[in-house]
Amino acid sequence: MVARLFLSLMTLAFCTSILGSSANAASIEADPGKKYELTKNRGPWMISVATFHSASPDGVTRKGKSPEEAAHELIIELRKLGMPAYMYVHDPDQQRVTVKDVLGREEYKKNLRRIRSVLVIAGNYDDIDDKLAQDSLKWVKKLNPECLQTGVVFQATEARPTPLSGAFLTINPLLSPEEVQQNRQDPLLVRLNSGQEHSLYDNPGEYTLVVKRFLGKSATVKPGDKLPSITQFLKDNDLDDAGESAQELVTILRGRYDEGLNKSPGILNEVEAYVWHDRHESFVSVGSFSSPNDPAIKKYMEAFSPRLVTFDNGAQNFQPVHLSIAGFGKNRNETRLFVFDPEPQVIRVPKKR
């Protein structure tokens, strides 16, 4: 039996510059001696350009190009044209399937027919509706790569007349739904947090610990009380005040303002602190961690979590950590009181692409 190599279209789209221009092509590395494997920092939306697999039941290629060879050649050709392309190998585990015997009884058996697929993924887009993503997809669909003219078998159909005409936009297969949501870029948040001193964008870690949130406008209305008018409600810009307070706290934590305070001199001095401005709040976080279980988190948790306080009457209660700092304001005659959140929260660090 002569093994054939089938080309099917699947997952790939991720380009960050104008396709087809000589300047763009020159900026994309296309070294035939290198492997370009897909990583998590691509996407989240990409173009599934093509999927290669062997038609042989044992997965061994006896004639033509192997799936890896075909994918690699396509990746190099796309890169020479100015589109960053990558390889992703999908090797499914053995799965159990339910079958019925001649008497109608159900049995569970292993599905030993596993198809190892090698995908070519390309592009780098924030959203499926991104204009560049859609334009890039149209461009890919019209390509008829030279590397696919020999050594592979493509079965054309009316809906898929050319090798790459079935390309489509998909999410980076290495990303979980939570990571996809984390990677979404909100243009407003990018503007709010770009160019800020000690912005959370500058945090080198994957995780950080939120210790203080500054909320924007809110109001509490008791039953029977008259609701405030929208003009009255919005007369002060509390969200701007929240942002300024968060920035001040970062400055304080990174300095040496805690000398002799909280009966623990220096515990809140020279802290690695960052600020983040969101649509409804600003917050301050501390530390840069590799994972949510990073041992380094413990030190910050102990410093910022509520502490057990014993009062003069012998009663004990947990009190939130706080800082009271004088010398602020235009005339240096204002005092700032910062009460830290009772439950510090570990979050992922947002990344700007």
Side-chain angles (χ1 to χ4, degrees):
M1 173 183 173
V2 177
R4 294 186 300 165
L5 182 66
F6 284 92
L7 174 67
S8 60
L9 288 283
M10 212 170 110
T11 269
L12 174 72
F14 88 103
C15 189
T16 56
S17 50
I18 299 174
L19 299 172
S21 72
S22 58
N24 181 65
S27 67
I28 304 298
E29 185 183 64
D31 185 349
K34 286 187 177 182
K35 291 184 178 181
Y36 298 96
E37 297 179 347
L38 182 64
T39 57
K40 280 190 172 186
N41 64 337
R42 307 301 177 185
W45 284 94
M46 306 179 77
I47 298 171
S48 173
V49 178
T51 301
F52 300 90
H53 62 81
S54 174
S56 175
D58 58 7
V60 177
T61 302
R62 296 181 175 85
K63 185 178 181 180
K65 301 172 184 176
S66 70
E68 287 81 0
E69 290 171 339
H72 179 70
E73 290 182 6
L74 178 56
I75 287 169
I76 298 302
E77 187 166 339
L78 287 171
R79 283 177 162 266
K80 288 181 177 179
L81 292 172
M83 170 171 274
Y86 302 86
M87 183 184 297
Y88 170 69
V89 178
H90 176 63
D91 197 357
D93 296 329
Q94 288 185 352
Q95 298 175 332
R96 290 187 176 273
V97 295
T98 303
V99 298
K100 291 185 177 180
D101 62 16
V102 293
L103 299 178
R105 295 173 300 189
E106 289 189 349
E107 293 183 83
Y108 292 96
K109 293 187 176 181
K110 282 186 177 180
N111 178 17
L112 300 180
R113 177 71 170 113
R114 297 182 296 168
I115 300 178
R116 184 175 183 271
S117 302
V118 181
L119 288 69
V120 175
I121 309 282
N124 188 43
Y125 312 106
D126 290 334
D127 193 88
I128 190 173
D129 296 320
D130 186 297
K131 185 178 185 302
L132 180 59
Q134 293 295 331
D135 290 345
S136 300
L137 178 61
K138 293 176 184 177
W139 180 81
V140 167
K141 285 174 173 283
K142 295 177 181 178
L143 290 177
N144 192 13
E146 292 183 11
C147 66
L148 300 183
Q149 305 307 308
T150 59
V152 301
V153 175
F154 167 68
Q155 295 181 329
T157 65
E158 184 177 349
R160 192 177 297 175
T162 56
L164 304 186
S165 56
F168 60 90
L169 282 160
T170 186
I171 290 174
N172 183 335
L174 294 177
L175 296 177
S176 66
E178 294 76 17
E179 290 170 323
V180 172
Q181 184 63 33
Q182 175 70 21
N183 285 336
R184 291 183 68 87
Q185 295 279 299
D186 185 328
L188 175 60
L189 300 189
V190 173
R191 291 198 300 272
L192 289 175
N193 294 280
S194 296
Q196 289 279 343
E197 189 175 18
H198 308 309
S199 168
L200 191 52
Y201 273 144
D202 298 329
N203 189 311
E206 292 296 322
Y207 293 85
T208 189
L209 182 68
V210 177
V211 296
K212 176 61 179 176
R213 296 181 184 272
F214 298 87
L215 302 179
K217 176 67 70 173
S218 64
T220 301
V221 180
K222 297 179 181 179
D225 289 352
K226 183 179 179 180
L227 291 173
S229 66
I230 190 65
T231 303
Q232 181 71 17
F233 181 70
L234 297 176
K235 69 177 182 178
D236 299 317
N237 195 335
D238 289 5
L239 201 54
D240 277 356
D241 294 341
E244 292 176 5
S245 296
Q247 199 72 51
E248 283 184 343
L249 179 56
V250 169
T251 300
I252 291 170
L253 290 175
R254 283 181 169 266
R256 296 192 60 84
Y257 292 85
D258 193 24
E259 293 291 350
L261 296 178
N262 299 324
K263 298 180 182 180
S264 302
I267 193 171
L268 299 183
N269 283 330
E270 299 179 345
V271 176
E272 181 190 2
Y274 300 92
V275 64
W276 179 259
H277 306 296
D278 214 321
R279 288 179 175 271
H280 309 292
E281 66 175 357
S282 291
F283 65 75
V284 173
S285 72
V286 296
S288 52
F289 316 114
S290 59
S291 76
N293 300 314
D294 192 320
I297 296 176
K298 181 180 179 181
K299 178 184 73 172
Y300 289 103
M301 278 289 194
E302 292 176 348
F304 289 94
S305 294
R307 300 168 186 171
L308 186 62
V309 176
T310 301
F311 297 96
D312 293 339
N313 61 1
Q316 290 184 318
N317 197 1
F318 281 95
Q319 297 292 314
V321 176
H322 68 278
L323 273 176
S324 180
I325 308 295
F328 279 82
K330 292 182 179 180
N331 299 319
R332 301 293 182 180
N333 59 353
E334 298 178 10
T335 298
R336 298 287 190 266
L337 175 64
F338 299 98
V339 180
F340 293 99
D341 294 354
E343 295 182 6
Q345 179 185 9
V346 177
I347 66 166
R348 273 190 172 273
V349 173
K351 301 297 182 182
K352 181 171 66 171
R353 293 186 300 277

